[in-house]
Amino acid sequence: NTTTTEIYTLSLRDALPMFEKHRVQDIVFAAHTDLEVTEPVAPQALKLDEAERKLAAGDTTGAAQLAQQALAEHTNDPGRAQFILARADIMNGKMDAAVQEFTQAAQTSHDLRTISWSHIYLGRLDDLQGDRSAAITEYTAAMQSRDGKPDTREAAEAGLKTPFAPPHAAQQDSGQDDSPSSGAPNAH
């Protein structure tokens, strides 16, 4: 004793999934789009890009200010900001501050290149202080970071092989002329 309403309800219940299955099969998605999809860039990332440019141009004060601003605004990349601050400190002869900044960069960065180069710089600073054991530990940490870049591997291997010496001192020791290229990147 099935009523007409019950038959209608049963028919709809059975028919809707079948209808949806056919409808979905008829949908055609575009294979590609001409629209370029990009992620928005955080303002702090732009500040850090500008800080890198200022540092490369020798404006350590401007670079440090922008890196500090990015940190104050809670950048998603505090390790990069610390790395910029550390390099500015080196350029200003503030080696103790550079050690602190490189250490923080190595601890807070999610970027393998920043981590690796922070350890390389820490190793170089240890070598300059005559602490070869600490330097080897840092160069080893750089190798273990595995950023995959040949210059990183070469710099870490060179540090493991021989203690770092400033380019000018190394050239004087080997009798080479005073060329402006140092072999040590000012950026990572």
Side-chain angles (χ1 to χ4, degrees), residues 34-99:
D34 292 334
L35 297 176
E36 185 176 324
V37 180
T38 58
E39 289 185 32
V41 177
Q44 300 91 354
L46 296 174
K47 280 188 175 129
L48 294 175
D49 291 345
E50 180 62 22
E52 290 278 3
R53 284 189 288 277
K54 286 184 179 286
L55 194 61
D59 181 2
T60 58
T61 302
Q65 287 174 343
L66 289 169
Q68 288 287 6
Q69 287 175 6
L71 285 171
E73 295 169 4
H74 305 289
T75 177
N76 292 336
D77 198 356
R80 182 176 175 209
Q82 299 289 354
F83 189 79
I84 292 167
L85 289 169
R87 290 176 21 240
D89 287 337
I90 283 179
M91 292 172 72
N92 289 325
K94 300 176 183 176
M95 299 308 166
D96 290 338
V99 167

Side-chain angles (χ1 to χ4, degrees), residues 28-184:
V28 177
F29 292 97
H32 64 61
T33 178
D34 292 334
L35 297 176
E36 185 176 324
V37 180
T38 58
E39 289 185 32
V41 177
Q44 300 91 354
L46 296 174
K47 280 188 175 129
L48 294 175
D49 291 345
E50 180 62 22
E52 290 278 3
R53 284 189 288 277
K54 286 184 179 286
L55 194 61
D59 181 2
T60 58
T61 302
Q65 287 174 343
L66 289 169
Q68 288 287 6
Q69 287 175 6
L71 285 171
E73 295 169 4
H74 305 289
T75 177
N76 292 336
D77 198 356
R80 182 176 175 209
Q82 299 289 354
F83 189 79
I84 292 167
L85 289 169
R87 290 176 21 240
D89 287 337
I90 283 179
M91 292 172 72
N92 289 325
K94 300 176 183 176
M95 299 308 166
D96 290 338
V99 167
Q100 291 175 353
E101 299 292 350
F102 281 129
T103 300
Q104 289 180 344
Q107 293 171 349
T108 62
S109 183
H110 302 291
D111 176 61
L112 295 178
R113 189 150 173 85
T114 300
I115 294 167
S116 296
W117 275 100
S118 293
H119 285 298
I120 290 167
Y121 277 109
L122 286 166
R124 289 174 175 179
L125 291 169
D126 288 334
D127 270 338
L128 292 174
Q129 293 297 315
D131 192 346
R132 186 69 182 141
S133 176
I136 288 173
T137 300
E138 294 296 343
Y139 296 131
T140 301
M143 292 290 288
Q144 291 170 344
S145 297
R146 301 184 191 277
D147 85 339
K149 305 291 183 185
D151 64 326
T152 305
R153 182 183 43 77
E154 291 165 8
E157 286 175 350
L160 288 168
K161 186 187 273 188
T162 58
F164 176 77
H168 184 69
Q171 289 170 357
Q172 284 181 340
D173 292 344
S174 66
Q176 293 178 353
D177 68 337
D178 225 3
S179 74
S181 67
S182 68

